[in-house]
Amino acid sequence: MRRQLLPRDLGFELHRGDELSLFKWFLASFLFGNRISQSIAAETWRVIVETHGCDTPRKLCALSHRELVRMLGDGGYRRYDESTAERLSLLCRTLIAQYDGRILGIAEAADDRADFERRLLAFKGVGPVTLGIFMREAGPALFDHE
């Protein structure tokens, strides 16, 4: 069984209260949670975040659908690029509309970890796999008792 990639494998660390690192990990988790190889998902994350500097929901929402599809393709994410671009754009728009574009906004609105997880699962394109990947690393940065 291969080792799962961690935030440090992508060049950053998760820290309590650090919105930027939480969103970067959420974006990575979203890509890793799809049916695509881990290496292609990681390369696609690097293209989006490092090459193009799109490391916030607002920056991603500023992209046209075509620009986002091109970035996904540049990372090797070609098979599901159109549908992934649509889901990613919708996810960012929803995050902005409901939680001021902040993962910490979800945590602030949630009653507890279970409620936080329910709220994440309510985002179109976020399923149990994405949730599990995200919470494996972000849980301790979001919830004191972990």
Side-chain angles (χ1 to χ4, degrees):
M1 177 144 178
R2 69 187 170 150
R3 186 179 73 77
Q4 294 176 321
L5 291 180
L6 303 170
R8 72 176 158 266
D9 296 317
L10 298 173
F12 68 98
E13 298 287 332
L14 277 175
H15 299 287
R16 178 173 302 285
D18 181 0
E19 181 62 37
L20 183 58
S21 69
L22 286 166
F23 183 74
K24 284 179 174 181
W25 183 242
F26 187 56
L27 176 59
S29 300
F30 175 83
L31 294 170
F32 290 143
N34 286 296
R35 292 182 180 166
I36 197 145
S37 79
Q38 188 171 257
S39 61
I40 289 175
E43 181 58 26
T44 301
W45 182 90
R46 287 182 183 95
V47 167
I48 293 170
V49 172
E50 294 175 353
T51 304
H52 294 281
C54 293
D55 56 3
T56 69
R58 285 179 173 78
K59 289 177 183 176
L60 283 168
C61 278
L63 299 172
S64 71
H65 178 74
R66 190 61 35 220
E67 289 171 318
L68 191 49
V69 167
R70 188 173 337 122
M71 284 183 202
L72 291 166
D74 288 349
Y77 215 100
R78 291 187 181 84
R79 185 169 177 196
Y80 301 108
D81 57 352
E82 291 283 340
S83 62
T84 300
E86 287 174 21
R87 285 185 289 120
L88 185 54
S89 182
L90 177 60
L91 184 149
C92 289
R93 288 193 313 270
T94 304
L95 186 59
I96 291 167
Q98 294 182 4
Y99 301 103
D100 193 32
R102 299 169 50 246
I103 300 297
L104 290 170
I106 303 170
E108 291 160 5
D111 295 328
D112 54 22
R113 181 184 171 130
D115 187 34
F116 178 87
E117 291 181 4
R118 278 192 296 278
R119 289 168 184 265
L120 275 187
L121 287 170
F123 284 88
K124 185 171 175 61
V126 175
V129 173
T130 297
L131 177 68
I133 294 167
F134 179 72
M135 292 306 290
R136 181 187 76 225
E137 300 301 317
L142 289 165
F143 298 95
D144 289 330
H145 58 278
E146 296 185 34

mmCIF file of all heavy atoms in Angstrom, residues 6-55:
data_model
loop_
_atom_site.group_PDB
_atom_site.id
_atom_site.type_symbol
_atom_site.label_atom_id
_atom_site.label_comp_id
_atom_site.label_asym_id
_atom_site.label_seq_id
_atom_site.Cartn_x
_atom_site.Cartn_y
_atom_site.Cartn_z
ATOM 1 N N LEU A 6 0.899 14.060 2.244
ATOM 2 C CA LEU A 6 0.601 14.954 3.358
ATOM 3 C C LEU A 6 0.835 16.394 2.916
ATOM 4 O O LEU A 6 1.502 16.634 1.905
ATOM 5 C CB LEU A 6 1.529 14.635 4.541
ATOM 6 C CG LEU A 6 1.481 13.203 5.062
ATOM 7 C CD1 LEU A 6 2.611 12.958 6.049
ATOM 8 C CD2 LEU A 6 0.125 12.923 5.688
ATOM 9 N N PRO A 7 0.339 17.360 3.682
ATOM 10 C CA PRO A 7 0.610 18.760 3.327
ATOM 11 C C PRO A 7 2.099 19.043 3.117
ATOM 12 O O PRO A 7 2.470 19.718 2.162
ATOM 13 C CB PRO A 7 0.047 19.543 4.519
ATOM 14 C CG PRO A 7 -1.073 18.683 5.015
ATOM 15 C CD PRO A 7 -0.561 17.268 4.834
ATOM 16 N N ARG A 8 2.968 18.484 3.972
ATOM 17 C CA ARG A 8 4.409 18.762 3.830
ATOM 18 C C ARG A 8 4.956 18.229 2.496
ATOM 19 O O ARG A 8 5.927 18.763 1.973
ATOM 20 C CB ARG A 8 5.199 18.248 5.022
ATOM 21 C CG ARG A 8 5.334 16.758 5.119
ATOM 22 C CD ARG A 8 6.242 16.339 6.297
ATOM 23 N NE ARG A 8 5.975 14.986 6.692
ATOM 24 C CZ ARG A 8 5.136 14.625 7.652
ATOM 25 N NH1 ARG A 8 4.489 15.533 8.338
ATOM 26 N NH2 ARG A 8 4.944 13.356 7.929
ATOM 27 N N ASP A 9 4.321 17.188 1.942
ATOM 28 C CA ASP A 9 4.741 16.691 0.631
ATOM 29 C C ASP A 9 4.453 17.717 -0.469
ATOM 30 O O ASP A 9 5.065 17.677 -1.532
ATOM 31 C CB ASP A 9 4.025 15.379 0.293
ATOM 32 C CG ASP A 9 4.391 14.254 1.241
ATOM 33 O OD1 ASP A 9 5.586 14.118 1.569
ATOM 34 O OD2 ASP A 9 3.471 13.529 1.662
ATOM 35 N N LEU A 10 3.511 18.602 -0.193
ATOM 36 C CA LEU A 10 3.155 19.660 -1.147
ATOM 37 C C LEU A 10 3.861 20.973 -0.813
ATOM 38 O O LEU A 10 3.640 21.984 -1.477
ATOM 39 C CB LEU A 10 1.633 19.866 -1.148
ATOM 40 C CG LEU A 10 0.819 18.654 -1.596
ATOM 41 C CD1 LEU A 10 -0.665 18.900 -1.397
ATOM 42 C CD2 LEU A 10 1.123 18.281 -3.043
ATOM 43 N N GLY A 11 4.660 20.964 0.249
ATOM 44 C CA GLY A 11 5.471 22.134 0.556
ATOM 45 C C GLY A 11 4.906 23.089 1.589
ATOM 46 O O GLY A 11 5.325 24.243 1.660
ATOM 47 N N PHE A 12 3.951 22.635 2.398
ATOM 48 C CA PHE A 12 3.424 23.503 3.447
ATOM 49 C C PHE A 12 3.028 22.670 4.652
ATOM 50 O O PHE A 12 2.981 21.454 4.588
ATOM 51 C CB PHE A 12 2.242 24.347 2.950
ATOM 52 C CG PHE A 12 0.992 23.568 2.639
ATOM 53 C CD1 PHE A 12 -0.044 23.479 3.570
ATOM 54 C CD2 PHE A 12 0.829 22.926 1.419
ATOM 55 C CE1 PHE A 12 -1.196 22.756 3.290
ATOM 56 C CE2 PHE A 12 -0.326 22.208 1.131
ATOM 57 C CZ PHE A 12 -1.339 22.124 2.080
ATOM 58 N N GLU A 13 2.772 23.345 5.757
ATOM 59 C CA GLU A 13 2.320 22.708 6.994
ATOM 60 C C GLU A 13 0.955 23.277 7.362
ATOM 61 O O GLU A 13 0.661 24.431 7.052
ATOM 62 C CB GLU A 13 3.303 22.984 8.143
ATOM 63 C CG GLU A 13 4.699 22.431 7.928
ATOM 64 C CD GLU A 13 4.792 20.924 8.061
ATOM 65 O OE1 GLU A 13 3.978 20.330 8.797
ATOM 66 O OE2 GLU A 13 5.673 20.331 7.419
ATOM 67 N N LEU A 14 0.154 22.471 8.026
ATOM 68 C CA LEU A 14 -1.133 22.947 8.550
ATOM 69 C C LEU A 14 -0.911 23.491 9.950
ATOM 70 O O LEU A 14 -0.267 22.838 10.770
ATOM 71 C CB LEU A 14 -2.134 21.789 8.628
ATOM 72 C CG LEU A 14 -2.864 21.435 7.357
ATOM 73 C CD1 LEU A 14 -3.725 20.194 7.572
ATOM 74 C CD2 LEU A 14 -3.723 22.570 6.869
ATOM 75 N N HIS A 15 -1.445 24.677 10.197
ATOM 76 C CA HIS A 15 -1.341 25.281 11.523
ATOM 77 C C HIS A 15 -2.713 25.753 11.980
ATOM 78 O O HIS A 15 -3.503 26.248 11.169
ATOM 79 C CB HIS A 15 -0.383 26.474 11.505
ATOM 80 C CG HIS A 15 1.003 26.110 11.109
ATOM 81 N ND1 HIS A 15 1.856 25.415 11.937
ATOM 82 C CD2 HIS A 15 1.688 26.329 9.950
ATOM 83 C CE1 HIS A 15 2.998 25.226 11.309
ATOM 84 N NE2 HIS A 15 2.926 25.760 10.104
ATOM 85 N N ARG A 16 -2.977 25.618 13.263
ATOM 86 C CA ARG A 16 -4.237 26.056 13.854
ATOM 87 C C ARG A 16 -4.492 27.528 13.502
ATOM 88 O O ARG A 16 -3.613 28.368 13.653
ATOM 89 C CB ARG A 16 -4.192 25.895 15.373
ATOM 90 C CG ARG A 16 -5.447 26.380 16.063
ATOM 91 C CD ARG A 16 -5.454 26.059 17.536
ATOM 92 N NE ARG A 16 -5.327 24.629 17.789
ATOM 93 C CZ ARG A 16 -6.301 23.735 17.606
ATOM 94 N NH1 ARG A 16 -7.465 24.121 17.150
ATOM 95 N NH2 ARG A 16 -6.091 22.469 17.876
ATOM 96 N N GLY A 17 -5.679 27.800 13.008
ATOM 97 C CA GLY A 17 -6.065 29.172 12.699
ATOM 98 C C GLY A 17 -5.504 29.723 11.399
ATOM 99 O O GLY A 17 -5.728 30.889 11.081
ATOM 100 N N ASP A 18 -4.781 28.926 10.638
ATOM 101 C CA ASP A 18 -4.153 29.382 9.399
ATOM 102 C C ASP A 18 -5.057 29.053 8.210
ATOM 103 O O ASP A 18 -5.014 27.953 7.660
ATOM 104 C CB ASP A 18 -2.780 28.715 9.245
ATOM 105 C CG ASP A 18 -2.042 29.148 7.982
ATOM 106 O OD1 ASP A 18 -2.579 29.963 7.204
ATOM 107 O OD2 ASP A 18 -0.922 28.652 7.770
ATOM 108 N N GLU A 19 -5.870 30.021 7.824
ATOM 109 C CA GLU A 19 -6.841 29.823 6.751
ATOM 110 C C GLU A 19 -6.184 29.394 5.450
ATOM 111 O O GLU A 19 -6.675 28.512 4.755
ATOM 112 C CB GLU A 19 -7.659 31.106 6.530
ATOM 113 C CG GLU A 19 -8.704 30.985 5.447
ATOM 114 C CD GLU A 19 -9.765 29.935 5.735
ATOM 115 O OE1 GLU A 19 -10.169 29.779 6.902
ATOM 116 O OE2 GLU A 19 -10.218 29.272 4.780
ATOM 117 N N LEU A 20 -5.064 30.019 5.105
ATOM 118 C CA LEU A 20 -4.414 29.700 3.831
ATOM 119 C C LEU A 20 -4.009 28.231 3.771
ATOM 120 O O LEU A 20 -4.278 27.546 2.782
ATOM 121 C CB LEU A 20 -3.205 30.611 3.604
ATOM 122 C CG LEU A 20 -2.481 30.418 2.266
ATOM 123 C CD1 LEU A 20 -3.427 30.643 1.084
ATOM 124 C CD2 LEU A 20 -1.289 31.346 2.186
ATOM 125 N N SER A 21 -3.369 27.733 4.830
ATOM 126 C CA SER A 21 -2.947 26.326 4.805
ATOM 127 C C SER A 21 -4.161 25.395 4.815
ATOM 128 O O SER A 21 -4.149 24.351 4.157
ATOM 129 C CB SER A 21 -1.991 26.003 5.953
ATOM 130 O OG SER A 21 -2.627 26.038 7.210
ATOM 131 N N LEU A 22 -5.213 25.764 5.530
ATOM 132 C CA LEU A 22 -6.421 24.926 5.547
ATOM 133 C C LEU A 22 -7.066 24.860 4.170
ATOM 134 O O LEU A 22 -7.474 23.791 3.716
ATOM 135 C CB LEU A 22 -7.425 25.447 6.583
ATOM 136 C CG LEU A 22 -7.060 25.160 8.026
ATOM 137 C CD1 LEU A 22 -7.914 26.007 8.969
ATOM 138 C CD2 LEU A 22 -7.215 23.675 8.346
ATOM 139 N N PHE A 23 -7.157 26.000 3.476
ATOM 140 C CA PHE A 23 -7.750 25.959 2.144
ATOM 141 C C PHE A 23 -6.863 25.198 1.167
ATOM 142 O O PHE A 23 -7.365 24.443 0.332
ATOM 143 C CB PHE A 23 -8.076 27.354 1.586
ATOM 144 C CG PHE A 23 -8.741 27.239 0.242
ATOM 145 C CD1 PHE A 23 -10.069 26.821 0.157
ATOM 146 C CD2 PHE A 23 -8.040 27.462 -0.923
ATOM 147 C CE1 PHE A 23 -10.682 26.647 -1.091
ATOM 148 C CE2 PHE A 23 -8.639 27.289 -2.170
ATOM 149 C CZ PHE A 23 -9.966 26.891 -2.245
ATOM 150 N N LYS A 24 -5.555 25.375 1.263
ATOM 151 C CA LYS A 24 -4.656 24.618 0.374
ATOM 152 C C LYS A 24 -4.873 23.113 0.564
ATOM 153 O O LYS A 24 -4.909 22.355 -0.412
ATOM 154 C CB LYS A 24 -3.191 24.968 0.658
ATOM 155 C CG LYS A 24 -2.738 26.295 0.119
ATOM 156 C CD LYS A 24 -1.274 26.510 0.490
ATOM 157 C CE LYS A 24 -0.672 27.726 -0.118
ATOM 158 N NZ LYS A 24 0.755 27.871 0.251
ATOM 159 N N TRP A 25 -5.009 22.692 1.831
ATOM 160 C CA TRP A 25 -5.213 21.261 2.090
ATOM 161 C C TRP A 25 -6.599 20.827 1.630
ATOM 162 O O TRP A 25 -6.776 19.720 1.131
ATOM 163 C CB TRP A 25 -4.965 20.927 3.557
ATOM 164 C CG TRP A 25 -5.091 19.456 3.804
ATOM 165 C CD1 TRP A 25 -5.990 18.829 4.625
ATOM 166 C CD2 TRP A 25 -4.325 18.407 3.200
ATOM 167 N NE1 TRP A 25 -5.817 17.464 4.564
ATOM 168 C CE2 TRP A 25 -4.798 17.186 3.694
ATOM 169 C CE3 TRP A 25 -3.270 18.406 2.283
ATOM 170 C CZ2 TRP A 25 -4.263 15.958 3.309
ATOM 171 C CZ3 TRP A 25 -2.744 17.179 1.890
ATOM 172 C CH2 TRP A 25 -3.236 15.981 2.408
ATOM 173 N N PHE A 26 -7.592 21.682 1.771
ATOM 174 C CA PHE A 26 -8.939 21.358 1.297
ATOM 175 C C PHE A 26 -8.925 21.171 -0.219
ATOM 176 O O PHE A 26 -9.495 20.212 -0.742
ATOM 177 C CB PHE A 26 -9.919 22.454 1.712
ATOM 178 C CG PHE A 26 -11.356 22.124 1.410
ATOM 179 C CD1 PHE A 26 -11.941 20.965 1.889
ATOM 180 C CD2 PHE A 26 -12.118 22.991 0.661
ATOM 181 C CE1 PHE A 26 -13.273 20.666 1.622
ATOM 182 C CE2 PHE A 26 -13.459 22.701 0.394
ATOM 183 C CZ PHE A 26 -14.026 21.540 0.873
ATOM 184 N N LEU A 27 -8.250 22.052 -0.928
ATOM 185 C CA LEU A 27 -8.140 21.930 -2.381
ATOM 186 C C LEU A 27 -7.408 20.636 -2.751
ATOM 187 O O LEU A 27 -7.853 19.898 -3.630
ATOM 188 C CB LEU A 27 -7.403 23.147 -2.954
ATOM 189 C CG LEU A 27 -7.127 23.131 -4.454
ATOM 190 C CD1 LEU A 27 -8.420 23.023 -5.257
ATOM 191 C CD2 LEU A 27 -6.348 24.388 -4.852
ATOM 192 N N ALA A 28 -6.315 20.349 -2.063
ATOM 193 C CA ALA A 28 -5.583 19.101 -2.326
ATOM 194 C C ALA A 28 -6.473 17.894 -2.048
ATOM 195 O O ALA A 28 -6.518 16.949 -2.841
ATOM 196 C CB ALA A 28 -4.313 19.042 -1.471
ATOM 197 N N SER A 29 -7.195 17.930 -0.938
ATOM 198 C CA SER A 29 -8.087 16.819 -0.569
ATOM 199 C C SER A 29 -9.174 16.622 -1.614
ATOM 200 O O SER A 29 -9.527 15.486 -1.950
ATOM 201 C CB SER A 29 -8.722 17.080 0.800
ATOM 202 O OG SER A 29 -7.733 17.203 1.790
ATOM 203 N N PHE A 30 -9.704 17.730 -2.132
ATOM 204 C CA PHE A 30 -10.711 17.666 -3.188
ATOM 205 C C PHE A 30 -10.140 16.955 -4.413
ATOM 206 O O PHE A 30 -10.781 16.072 -4.988
ATOM 207 C CB PHE A 30 -11.178 19.085 -3.540
ATOM 208 C CG PHE A 30 -12.125 19.142 -4.701
ATOM 209 C CD1 PHE A 30 -13.482 18.900 -4.523
ATOM 210 C CD2 PHE A 30 -11.662 19.435 -5.974
ATOM 211 C CE1 PHE A 30 -14.354 18.946 -5.601
ATOM 212 C CE2 PHE A 30 -12.529 19.486 -7.054
ATOM 213 C CZ PHE A 30 -13.881 19.233 -6.864
ATOM 214 N N LEU A 31 -8.933 17.305 -4.803
ATOM 215 C CA LEU A 31 -8.305 16.670 -5.971
ATOM 216 C C LEU A 31 -7.943 15.213 -5.686
ATOM 217 O O LEU A 31 -8.187 14.342 -6.514
ATOM 218 C CB LEU A 31 -7.060 17.460 -6.394
ATOM 219 C CG LEU A 31 -7.335 18.869 -6.920
ATOM 220 C CD1 LEU A 31 -6.028 19.634 -7.072
ATOM 221 C CD2 LEU A 31 -8.107 18.838 -8.225
ATOM 222 N N PHE A 32 -7.383 14.936 -4.497
ATOM 223 C CA PHE A 32 -7.021 13.557 -4.141
ATOM 224 C C PHE A 32 -8.250 12.667 -4.016
ATOM 225 O O PHE A 32 -8.166 11.459 -4.211
ATOM 226 C CB PHE A 32 -6.252 13.511 -2.813
ATOM 227 C CG PHE A 32 -4.860 14.079 -2.872
ATOM 228 C CD1 PHE A 32 -4.357 14.795 -1.803
ATOM 229 C CD2 PHE A 32 -4.044 13.891 -3.976
ATOM 230 C CE1 PHE A 32 -3.074 15.308 -1.831
ATOM 231 C CE2 PHE A 32 -2.765 14.408 -4.018
ATOM 232 C CZ PHE A 32 -2.275 15.121 -2.938
ATOM 233 N N GLY A 33 -9.392 13.257 -3.684
ATOM 234 C CA GLY A 33 -10.604 12.483 -3.469
ATOM 235 C C GLY A 33 -11.283 12.013 -4.747
ATOM 236 O O GLY A 33 -12.226 11.229 -4.698
ATOM 237 N N ASN A 34 -10.818 12.491 -5.877
ATOM 238 C CA ASN A 34 -11.390 12.079 -7.153
ATOM 239 C C ASN A 34 -10.687 10.830 -7.681
ATOM 240 O O ASN A 34 -9.626 10.444 -7.205
ATOM 241 C CB ASN A 34 -11.280 13.226 -8.163
ATOM 242 C CG ASN A 34 -12.276 14.323 -7.878
ATOM 243 O OD1 ASN A 34 -13.478 14.113 -7.956
ATOM 244 N ND2 ASN A 34 -11.780 15.495 -7.520
ATOM 245 N N ARG A 35 -11.285 10.211 -8.669
ATOM 246 C CA ARG A 35 -10.739 8.979 -9.247
ATOM 247 C C ARG A 35 -9.627 9.299 -10.225
ATOM 248 O O ARG A 35 -9.808 9.271 -11.446
ATOM 249 C CB ARG A 35 -11.849 8.204 -9.947
ATOM 250 C CG ARG A 35 -12.840 7.662 -8.979
ATOM 251 C CD ARG A 35 -13.901 6.871 -9.679
ATOM 252 N NE ARG A 35 -14.824 6.368 -8.688
ATOM 253 C CZ ARG A 35 -15.996 5.860 -8.973
ATOM 254 N NH1 ARG A 35 -16.387 5.772 -10.215
ATOM 255 N NH2 ARG A 35 -16.780 5.438 -8.015
ATOM 256 N N ILE A 36 -8.494 9.631 -9.651
ATOM 257 C CA ILE A 36 -7.327 9.976 -10.451
ATOM 258 C C ILE A 36 -6.101 9.645 -9.615
ATOM 259 O O ILE A 36 -6.195 9.575 -8.384
ATOM 260 C CB ILE A 36 -7.376 11.463 -10.862
ATOM 261 C CG1 ILE A 36 -6.421 11.748 -12.001
ATOM 262 C CG2 ILE A 36 -7.144 12.368 -9.694
ATOM 263 C CD1 ILE A 36 -6.943 12.780 -12.954
ATOM 264 N N SER A 37 -4.978 9.418 -10.239
ATOM 265 C CA SER A 37 -3.798 9.023 -9.470
ATOM 266 C C SER A 37 -3.351 10.143 -8.541
ATOM 267 O O SER A 37 -3.512 11.328 -8.830
ATOM 268 C CB SER A 37 -2.656 8.620 -10.400
ATOM 269 O OG SER A 37 -2.009 9.765 -10.907
ATOM 270 N N GLN A 38 -2.770 9.733 -7.435
ATOM 271 C CA GLN A 38 -2.280 10.677 -6.437
ATOM 272 C C GLN A 38 -1.228 11.609 -7.046
ATOM 273 O O GLN A 38 -1.210 12.805 -6.766
ATOM 274 C CB GLN A 38 -1.688 9.870 -5.274
ATOM 275 C CG GLN A 38 -1.303 10.671 -4.080
ATOM 276 C CD GLN A 38 -0.927 9.779 -2.910
ATOM 277 O OE1 GLN A 38 -1.716 9.631 -2.010
ATOM 278 N NE2 GLN A 38 0.256 9.201 -2.924
ATOM 279 N N SER A 39 -0.364 11.081 -7.913
ATOM 280 C CA SER A 39 0.693 11.916 -8.502
ATOM 281 C C SER A 39 0.108 12.966 -9.438
ATOM 282 O O SER A 39 0.570 14.111 -9.462
ATOM 283 C CB SER A 39 1.729 11.058 -9.227
ATOM 284 O OG SER A 39 1.135 10.330 -10.277
ATOM 285 N N ILE A 40 -0.918 12.604 -10.197
ATOM 286 C CA ILE A 40 -1.563 13.585 -11.087
ATOM 287 C C ILE A 40 -2.315 14.625 -10.257
ATOM 288 O O ILE A 40 -2.258 15.822 -10.548
ATOM 289 C CB ILE A 40 -2.494 12.892 -12.102
ATOM 290 C CG1 ILE A 40 -1.657 12.137 -13.131
ATOM 291 C CG2 ILE A 40 -3.413 13.904 -12.782
ATOM 292 C CD1 ILE A 40 -2.463 11.311 -14.112
ATOM 293 N N ALA A 41 -2.996 14.192 -9.208
ATOM 294 C CA ALA A 41 -3.700 15.140 -8.342
ATOM 295 C C ALA A 41 -2.710 16.114 -7.707
ATOM 296 O O ALA A 41 -2.970 17.322 -7.644
ATOM 297 C CB ALA A 41 -4.487 14.392 -7.269
ATOM 298 N N ALA A 42 -1.555 15.616 -7.244
ATOM 299 C CA ALA A 42 -0.546 16.486 -6.632
ATOM 300 C C ALA A 42 0.017 17.467 -7.657
ATOM 301 O O ALA A 42 0.192 18.655 -7.358
ATOM 302 C CB ALA A 42 0.575 15.647 -6.023
ATOM 303 N N GLU A 43 0.307 16.995 -8.865
ATOM 304 C CA GLU A 43 0.826 17.883 -9.908
ATOM 305 C C GLU A 43 -0.208 18.935 -10.284
ATOM 306 O O GLU A 43 0.122 20.109 -10.493
ATOM 307 C CB GLU A 43 1.254 17.085 -11.143
ATOM 308 C CG GLU A 43 1.817 17.941 -12.255
ATOM 309 C CD GLU A 43 3.026 18.787 -11.856
ATOM 310 O OE1 GLU A 43 3.760 18.422 -10.917
ATOM 311 O OE2 GLU A 43 3.228 19.849 -12.491
ATOM 312 N N THR A 44 -1.471 18.546 -10.345
ATOM 313 C CA THR A 44 -2.536 19.498 -10.661
ATOM 314 C C THR A 44 -2.641 20.550 -9.568
ATOM 315 O O THR A 44 -2.787 21.744 -9.852
ATOM 316 C CB THR A 44 -3.871 18.747 -10.845
ATOM 317 O OG1 THR A 44 -3.714 17.802 -11.907
ATOM 318 C CG2 THR A 44 -4.997 19.705 -11.178
ATOM 319 N N TRP A 45 -2.535 20.127 -8.313
ATOM 320 C CA TRP A 45 -2.544 21.074 -7.190
ATOM 321 C C TRP A 45 -1.398 22.072 -7.358
ATOM 322 O O TRP A 45 -1.583 23.279 -7.187
ATOM 323 C CB TRP A 45 -2.414 20.307 -5.869
ATOM 324 C CG TRP A 45 -2.457 21.191 -4.674
ATOM 325 C CD1 TRP A 45 -3.567 21.568 -3.970
ATOM 326 C CD2 TRP A 45 -1.346 21.837 -4.034
ATOM 327 N NE1 TRP A 45 -3.216 22.401 -2.943
ATOM 328 C CE2 TRP A 45 -1.857 22.583 -2.961
ATOM 329 C CE3 TRP A 45 0.025 21.846 -4.270
ATOM 330 C CZ2 TRP A 45 -1.043 23.337 -2.121
ATOM 331 C CZ3 TRP A 45 0.845 22.609 -3.437
ATOM 332 C CH2 TRP A 45 0.308 23.336 -2.383
ATOM 333 N N ARG A 46 -0.207 21.573 -7.703
ATOM 334 C CA ARG A 46 0.958 22.456 -7.879
ATOM 335 C C ARG A 46 0.729 23.468 -9.007
ATOM 336 O O ARG A 46 1.106 24.633 -8.885
ATOM 337 C CB ARG A 46 2.220 21.643 -8.138
ATOM 338 C CG ARG A 46 2.725 20.924 -6.913
ATOM 339 C CD ARG A 46 4.027 20.146 -7.192
ATOM 340 N NE ARG A 46 4.443 19.427 -6.021
ATOM 341 C CZ ARG A 46 4.160 18.147 -5.765
ATOM 342 N NH1 ARG A 46 3.472 17.433 -6.651
ATOM 343 N NH2 ARG A 46 4.564 17.578 -4.657
ATOM 344 N N VAL A 47 0.128 23.018 -10.100
ATOM 345 C CA VAL A 47 -0.158 23.933 -11.215
ATOM 346 C C VAL A 47 -1.116 25.031 -10.750
ATOM 347 O O VAL A 47 -0.880 26.225 -10.996
ATOM 348 C CB VAL A 47 -0.745 23.166 -12.426
ATOM 349 C CG1 VAL A 47 -1.338 24.128 -13.458
ATOM 350 C CG2 VAL A 47 0.314 22.281 -13.067
ATOM 351 N N ILE A 48 -2.178 24.644 -10.067
ATOM 352 C CA ILE A 48 -3.181 25.624 -9.623
ATOM 353 C C ILE A 48 -2.600 26.583 -8.582
ATOM 354 O O ILE A 48 -2.706 27.800 -8.709
ATOM 355 C CB ILE A 48 -4.426 24.908 -9.061
ATOM 356 C CG1 ILE A 48 -5.161 24.161 -10.175
ATOM 357 C CG2 ILE A 48 -5.364 25.905 -8.379
ATOM 358 C CD1 ILE A 48 -6.259 23.221 -9.678
ATOM 359 N N VAL A 49 -1.971 26.021 -7.545
ATOM 360 C CA VAL A 49 -1.535 26.827 -6.401
ATOM 361 C C VAL A 49 -0.177 27.485 -6.632
ATOM 362 O O VAL A 49 -0.022 28.685 -6.389
ATOM 363 C CB VAL A 49 -1.513 25.966 -5.117
ATOM 364 C CG1 VAL A 49 -0.882 26.713 -3.955
ATOM 365 C CG2 VAL A 49 -2.928 25.528 -4.768
ATOM 366 N N GLU A 50 0.799 26.717 -7.074
ATOM 367 C CA GLU A 50 2.157 27.265 -7.175
ATOM 368 C C GLU A 50 2.398 27.998 -8.495
ATOM 369 O O GLU A 50 2.925 29.105 -8.495
ATOM 370 C CB GLU A 50 3.190 26.155 -6.981
ATOM 371 C CG GLU A 50 3.144 25.593 -5.567
ATOM 372 C CD GLU A 50 4.059 24.399 -5.350
ATOM 373 O OE1 GLU A 50 4.661 23.895 -6.327
ATOM 374 O OE2 GLU A 50 4.149 23.966 -4.181
ATOM 375 N N THR A 51 2.012 27.409 -9.600
ATOM 376 C CA THR A 51 2.257 28.042 -10.895
ATOM 377 C C THR A 51 1.362 29.261 -11.108
ATOM 378 O O THR A 51 1.827 30.306 -11.540
ATOM 379 C CB THR A 51 2.054 27.040 -12.046
ATOM 380 O OG1 THR A 51 2.907 25.917 -11.818
ATOM 381 C CG2 THR A 51 2.364 27.667 -13.394
ATOM 382 N N HIS A 52 0.068 29.111 -10.771
ATOM 383 C CA HIS A 52 -0.893 30.181 -11.049
ATOM 384 C C HIS A 52 -1.285 30.993 -9.811
ATOM 385 O O HIS A 52 -2.023 31.970 -9.941
ATOM 386 C CB HIS A 52 -2.137 29.604 -11.721
ATOM 387 C CG HIS A 52 -1.844 29.056 -13.089
ATOM 388 N ND1 HIS A 52 -1.702 29.854 -14.203
ATOM 389 C CD2 HIS A 52 -1.611 27.795 -13.507
ATOM 390 C CE1 HIS A 52 -1.425 29.108 -15.244
ATOM 391 N NE2 HIS A 52 -1.352 27.852 -14.858
ATOM 392 N N GLY A 53 -0.832 30.599 -8.630
ATOM 393 C CA GLY A 53 -1.103 31.371 -7.418
ATOM 394 C C GLY A 53 -2.557 31.396 -6.980
ATOM 395 O O GLY A 53 -2.974 32.290 -6.256
ATOM 396 N N CYS A 54 -3.318 30.410 -7.401
ATOM 397 C CA CYS A 54 -4.746 30.354 -7.053
ATOM 398 C C CYS A 54 -4.910 29.540 -5.767
ATOM 399 O O CYS A 54 -5.233 28.350 -5.804
ATOM 400 C CB CYS A 54 -5.559 29.773 -8.199
ATOM 401 S SG CYS A 54 -5.559 30.859 -9.634
ATOM 402 N N ASP A 55 -4.688 30.202 -4.639
ATOM 403 C CA ASP A 55 -4.669 29.517 -3.354
ATOM 404 C C ASP A 55 -5.788 29.957 -2.411
ATOM 405 O O ASP A 55 -5.740 29.692 -1.218
ATOM 406 C CB ASP A 55 -3.305 29.695 -2.680
ATOM 407 C CG ASP A 55 -2.919 31.155 -2.512
ATOM 408 O OD1 ASP A 55 -3.722 32.056 -2.864
ATOM 409 O OD2 ASP A 55 -1.805 31.417 -2.031
#
